[in-house]
C-alpha cells in the first residue's frame, strides 16, 4: 500500500481550471518515466549477489507496462540455479515453472555413480550433480520485497517536483 500525501489548493475560475488540467496532463505524461525508474531500480536490487556474467536488462515500456530484469549469459549458470543430478533432486529448486519447461534431475539415471564431465581445460571432473543455488530466485524475492519502498521513493520524488 503506497500512499503519498499531496495537497493542492486552487482558486476556481476558467483560467485556473485550464491551468489545473494542463498540470494534470503534464503529470500524467510523466507516469511512464516513473514506471521505468521503478522497474530499473528493481532490476538494480536483483543484481545484488547473483552469478558472475549476469547482465541487467534495462527497463523498457511494453504497452503500459514497464519491464526490467536480469539474465544469465552462460548456460552453466542455469545448472547452478536449478541443480543437477541425484544431488539436485535431493535439494531441488522451488520455482514452479521448472515443471512446465520440463526440467528433470538425473536425466541419464547416473544415480549415486555420478558422471565425468569436461572441465574446459582438457581434463575431466566427476560429479553426482549439485544442489539448486537459487540465486535468481532469491534476486526476484529481493526485488519483490524492495518494490514497495522503491515505488514509494520514486512517487514521492515525483510529487516533490
Amino acid at each position: 500500500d503506497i500512499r503519498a500525501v499531496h495537497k493542492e489548493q486552487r482558486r476556481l475560475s476558467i483560467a485556473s481550471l485550464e491551468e489545473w488540467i494542463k498540470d494534470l496532463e503534464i503529470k500524467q505524461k510523466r507516469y511512464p518515466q516513473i514506471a521505468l525508474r521503478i522497474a530499473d531500480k528493481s532490476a538494480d536490487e536483483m543484481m545484488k549477489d547473483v552469478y558472475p556474467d549476469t547482465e541487467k536488462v534495462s527497463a523498457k515500456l511494453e504497452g503500459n507496462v514497464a519491464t526490467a530484469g536480469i539474465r544469465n549469459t552462460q548456460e552453466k549458470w542455469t545448472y547452478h540455479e536449478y541443480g543437477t543430478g541425484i544431488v539436485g533432486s535431493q535439494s531441488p529448486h522451488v520455482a514452479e515453472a521448472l515443471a512446465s519447461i520440463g526440467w528433470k534431475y538425473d536425466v541419464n539415471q547416473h544415480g549415486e555413480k555420478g558422471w565425468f564431465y569436461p572441465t574446459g581445460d582438457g581434463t575431466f571432473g566427476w560429479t553426482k550433480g549439485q544442489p539448486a543455488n537459487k540465486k535468481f530466485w532469491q534476486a526476484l524475492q529481493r526485488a519483490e520485497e524492495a518494490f514497495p519502498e522503491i515505488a514509494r521513493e520514486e512517487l514521492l520524488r515525483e510529487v516533490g517536483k
Side-chain angles (χ1 to χ4, degrees):
D1 186 20
I2 301 169
R3 294 183 189 171
V5 178
H6 182 67
K7 214 173 192 183
E8 206 164 309
Q9 290 182 332
R10 302 237 181 194
R11 289 184 155 281
L12 287 180
S13 70
I14 299 295
S16 69
L17 284 174
E18 286 176 359
E19 182 183 328
W20 195 11
I21 289 169
K22 285 180 189 174
D23 188 38
L24 290 173
E25 287 172 351
I26 289 169
K27 286 183 180 181
Q28 188 174 11
K29 288 178 184 175
R30 289 197 298 238
Y31 291 165
Q33 294 306 315
I34 298 167
L36 285 170
R37 287 196 315 260
I38 292 169
D40 203 52
K41 287 186 177 188
S42 295
D44 288 341
E45 187 65 34
M46 293 175 78
M47 284 296 292
K48 298 176 182 175
D49 191 32
V50 289
Y51 304 106
D53 306 312
T54 299
E55 290 180 348
K56 177 180 166 183
V57 178
S58 296
K60 65 181 177 181
L61 279 177
E62 296 175 356
N64 290 328
V65 178
T67 62
I70 60 174
R71 67 172 167 235
N72 73 27
T73 59
Q74 295 194 20
E75 184 179 10
K76 68 181 178 180
W77 301 121
T78 303
Y79 299 111
H80 283 266
E81 177 70 13
Y82 299 128
T84 60
I86 193 78
V87 174
S89 70
Q90 295 165 356
S91 177
H93 199 280
V94 293
E96 295 173 8
L98 283 182
S100 68
I101 62 169
W103 189 265
K104 300 208 183 322
Y105 295 96
D106 200 19
V107 292
N108 294 320
Q109 304 298 312
H110 293 115
E112 292 293 329
K113 292 183 282 183
W115 67 92
F116 288 95
Y117 64 94
T119 62
D121 64 2
T123 63
F124 288 85
W126 178 85
T127 187
K128 290 196 282 184
Q130 62 188 356
N133 287 316
K134 307 171 192 159
K135 286 189 176 208
F136 276 13
W137 178 260
Q138 292 162 356
L140 178 59
Q141 299 293 11
R142 276 193 311 277
E144 287 177 354
E145 289 171 14
F147 178 82
E149 183 60 25
I150 291 169
R152 183 181 160 290
E153 287 173 4
E154 288 303 314
L155 291 170
L156 287 174
R157 178 176 149 193
E158 193 64 29
V159 169
K161 285 186 175 180

